[in-house]
Amino acid sequence: MTTNKTKVAIYARVNQEQEGLDKQLNALRAYCEAHGKEIYVEYVEEGVSGISMEGRHSLQRLLEDAEEQEFQELVVWKLNRLARNVLDVMGIIRKLEERNITFRSITENFENSTPIGKFALQVMAAVTELELKQSMAGDQH
C-alpha cells in the first residue's frame, strides 16, 4: 500500500540537564500526526552537547539517511536541539537542501523551503550560538 504522506525524520537531543526528552518527542509526534506526516524514524541523543557534531551518533546516522534520501523532511522541537554552532547548523541544512529535504523547527515556526524561512533560520542559528557563548562566559565568572 502506497501512502502520499510526507516521510519525516524526527531529531531530539537533551544535554546533561535532561531538559525534557519526552516533551520534545511528544510535541514532534503530535506535530506529525496533526499535519498528516509519516514518521520514518526518530533520532534521539541523550546526555550529548550541541556545541559540536563530534560524538553525536544519532545525528551522524540522520545525515547518512538523508544522503540516501530516506525521508523528505526533518523536524526538530527547537533549532538549538540540532546544533548550537552557526557553521554546523548551516552545514546540516545545506546537506538537507542538496537532497531536497525540508527542515522545520516546530516551536520557532520556520523552515528552509522559502527565502524568508532560510533568512529566519540563519538569524536564529546566530542567536543560538550567541546564547551559548554568553552562557559559557557567564560560567567563567
Side-chain angles (χ1 to χ4, degrees):
M1 180 174 171
T2 305
T3 177
N4 290 334
K5 289 184 176 185
T6 301
K7 274 187 8 184
V8 173
I10 286 176
Y11 181 79
R13 180 186 63 78
V14 292
N15 59 16
Q16 296 82 346
E17 298 163 7
Q18 300 299 310
E19 75 262 354
L21 183 60
D22 288 339
K23 179 181 177 179
Q24 287 181 51
L25 289 171
N26 289 337
L28 292 164
R29 291 171 186 146
Y31 168 85
C32 291
E33 186 174 330
H35 291 87
K37 297 175 187 277
E38 174 189 345
I39 298 173
Y40 163 71
V41 70
E42 296 177 0
Y43 301 93
V44 178
E45 313 243 41
E46 293 185 69
V48 180
S49 171
I51 293 173
S52 116
M53 291 176 53
E54 195 172 306
R56 295 176 61 195
H57 303 293
S58 290
L59 179 61
Q60 296 306 322
R61 276 196 346 266
L62 181 154
L63 294 173
E64 290 168 7
D65 287 350
E67 194 68 28
E68 299 298 320
Q69 295 181 303
E70 296 291 337
F71 54 89
Q72 299 154 324
E73 184 173 330
L74 171 63
V75 293
V76 298
W77 181 66
K78 194 172 180 182
L79 181 61
N80 69 11
R81 300 299 82 204
L82 183 63
R84 304 220 36 171
N85 173 300
V86 174
L87 294 177
D88 287 345
V89 169
M90 299 318 298
I92 292 167
I93 300 303
R94 186 180 66 251
K95 287 178 183 180
L96 296 174
E97 287 176 343
E98 288 170 355
R99 298 290 180 234
N100 297 315
I101 298 170
T102 301
F103 170 80
R104 185 175 308 276
S105 166
I106 66 168
T107 61
E108 295 150 331
N109 198 28
F110 60 75
E111 39 67 40
N112 68 322
S113 64
T114 65
I116 294 296
K118 287 180 185 180
F119 174 73
L121 179 66
Q122 291 169 353
V123 170
M124 197 62 201
V127 169
T128 296
E129 184 173 321
L130 175 64
E131 288 172 344
L132 173 67
K133 289 182 178 180
Q134 285 182 316
S135 72
M136 290 173 66
D139 291 344
Q140 296 174 355
H141 295 295

